[in-house]
């Protein structure tokens, strides 16, 4: 079952960052979950609570920088995760 963007956005609200930034990360997190790549590499589906757990391990920072830190870790471990980095978002 693919997790919804809203579920990821709600979970990510614990980290500093604007709503637009959080939504950008949530969309990419949902894309990663839907791709099946994380499930293949980790052996289980990517859930919002798990994303929060991993992002808590990241150095201090806004939600996008924490996400990108984690994606970098996944890319080093497994390869092929660079496309899931957050590069920009539009503030409203």
């Amino acid at each position: 079952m693919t997790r919804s963007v809203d579920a990821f956005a709600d979970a990510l609200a614990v980290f500093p960052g604007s709503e637009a930034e959080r939504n950008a990360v949530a969309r990419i997190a949902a894309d990663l979950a839907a791709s099946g790549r994380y499930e293949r590499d980790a052996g289980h589906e990517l859930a919002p609570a798990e994303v929060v757990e991993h992002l808590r391990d990241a150095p201090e920072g806004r939600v996008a920088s924490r996400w990108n830190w984690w994606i970098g870790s996944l890319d080093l471990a497994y390869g092929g995760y660079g496309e899931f980095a957050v590069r920009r978002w539009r503030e409203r």
Side-chain angles (χ1 to χ4, degrees):
M1 174 183 190
T2 301
R3 304 295 179 182
S4 74
V5 173
D6 290 340
F8 282 107
D10 290 346
L12 292 169
V14 300
F15 299 110
S18 68
E19 183 178 350
E21 180 181 355
R22 186 171 48 255
N23 287 337
V25 173
R27 282 190 302 274
I28 291 179
D31 288 348
L32 175 56
S35 76
R37 185 171 300 163
Y38 183 83
E39 185 172 1
R40 180 194 69 220
D41 291 335
H44 59 274
E45 185 177 299
L46 182 62
E50 183 174 3
V51 170
V52 169
E53 182 179 325
H54 287 296
L55 270 55
R56 285 190 195 283
D57 292 337
E60 292 295 315
R62 295 169 61 100
V63 66
S65 64
R66 288 170 180 263
W67 172 263
N68 286 342
W69 174 86
W70 184 55
I71 289 298
S73 297
L74 290 172
D75 198 50
L76 284 172
Y78 302 109
Y81 282 84
E83 70 184 270
F84 296 103
V86 173
R87 290 173 178 48
R88 62 183 156 164
W89 58 90
R90 182 179 300 177
E91 294 292 337
R92 295 175 195 225

